Amino acid sequence: MFKDPIRLNMKDAHVDYFEHFFDQDLSNHYFKMLLKTIEWQQDDITVFGKKYLQPRLTALYANNNAPYTYSNITMHPKAFTKELLEIKHRIERETGTIFTSCLANLYRNGQDSNGWHADNEKELGKYPTIASVTFGAERVFHFKHKHDKHPKAKLILKHGSLLVMKGDTQNNWLHQLPKTKKVVGERINLTFRIIA
């Protein structure tokens, strides 16, 4: 059984980290299955008027038809797969939050990344809870405060880990998964959220 979460020492935020939420065998199983069963896609993003391929693959799954828009990309969900439902139910039991949607990300290597952002889109509500699961390669995850340049935080997101961001976190902090020159394998990140 996993240990109690580590509460990150971040002002104006509520972030809990469960280092071994899923054990090694289950994490390996889910990584293999999700790699095969999720319908990964690579969208264009527009930065300063220029189009680029997003530096990762994504997919949206939900128990409703609510689309999700971020960075001028609108995604339409597919129905949850068996594995996504199993993972979702386990997180819901731990967090007491019922999630409607999952934005999945596949980082193929160290050059795949996600720049500074907050998950603060209108459809997520005023105080969104985001539950973020990692399967596969470990990557460093960074936080920085939006209004105060000194508070920063970072942690290594491990295979089978769960990071839960809630309360005022998205209103006060940005987060990113930067590129790395290290040779790293594939990482699947599932971000469960509530999109009404």
Side-chain angles (χ1 to χ4, degrees):
M1 191 65 180
F2 61 85
K3 291 185 188 137
D4 289 338
I6 298 160
R7 172 73 49 87
L8 269 62
N9 183 17
M10 292 165 57
K11 74 171 196 171
D12 312 322
H14 184 147
V15 182
D16 290 326
Y17 179 57
F18 301 79
E19 191 174 50
H20 303 290
F21 190 74
F22 296 96
D23 69 30
Q24 183 83 15
D25 290 344
L26 199 52
S27 298
N28 292 345
H29 166 72
Y30 281 140
F31 178 73
K32 271 189 262 183
M33 293 304 295
L34 295 166
L35 211 49
K36 275 195 304 205
T37 58
I38 286 185
E39 294 181 44
W40 300 106
Q41 64 191 61
Q42 189 172 24
D43 293 303
D44 288 328
I45 48 169
T46 304
V47 183
F48 302 121
K50 279 193 169 176
K51 272 193 176 180
Y52 300 91
L53 281 172
Q54 207 174 11
R56 62 190 179 281
L57 306 185
T58 58
L60 183 66
Y61 287 82
N63 60 13
N64 59 30
N65 294 316
Y68 181 52
T69 301
Y70 69 97
S71 304
N72 295 320
I73 297 167
T74 298
M75 300 185 76
H76 296 276
K78 297 171 177 69
F80 279 122
T81 65
K82 173 179 165 286
E83 289 78 23
L84 287 173
L85 277 176
E86 288 170 8
I87 294 163
K88 177 172 113 73
H89 291 153
R90 180 140 171 205
I91 293 167
E92 288 171 341
R93 281 199 303 275
E94 179 60 36
T95 61
T97 302
I98 304 298
F99 296 99
T100 64
S101 310
C102 175
L103 177 63
N105 297 285
L106 173 59
Y107 298 90
R108 296 159 294 181
N109 53 46
Q111 291 309 293
D112 275 1
S113 63
N114 199 342
W116 286 114
H117 69 285
D119 295 314
N120 59 355
E121 290 78 17
K122 212 165 37 197
E123 58 260 56
L124 297 177
K126 199 167 179 195
Y127 302 105
T129 296
I130 311 289
S132 171
V133 181
T134 292
F135 295 118
E138 296 180 353
R139 292 285 292 265
V140 179
F141 192 72
H142 292 234
F143 290 98
K144 70 177 178 183
H145 202 282
K146 286 185 188 181
H147 316 294
D148 182 342
K149 65 177 190 228
H150 296 299
K152 291 185 171 69
K154 69 178 181 182
L155 75 161
I156 294 169
L157 296 177
K158 296 193 172 176
H159 184 43
S161 68
L162 169 66
L163 183 77
V164 181
M165 302 178 278
K166 57 186 177 183
D168 243 350
T169 308
Q170 303 303 326
N171 299 318
N172 293 314
W173 290 77
L174 300 170
H175 54 269
Q176 71 160 349
L177 190 95
K179 292 183 193 298
T180 175
K181 290 203 166 80
K182 285 184 189 162
V183 177
V184 292
E186 293 170 310
R187 170 183 181 257
I188 292 173
N189 171 232
L190 306 176
T191 57
F192 291 90
R193 48 195 75 211
I194 301 163
I195 302 172

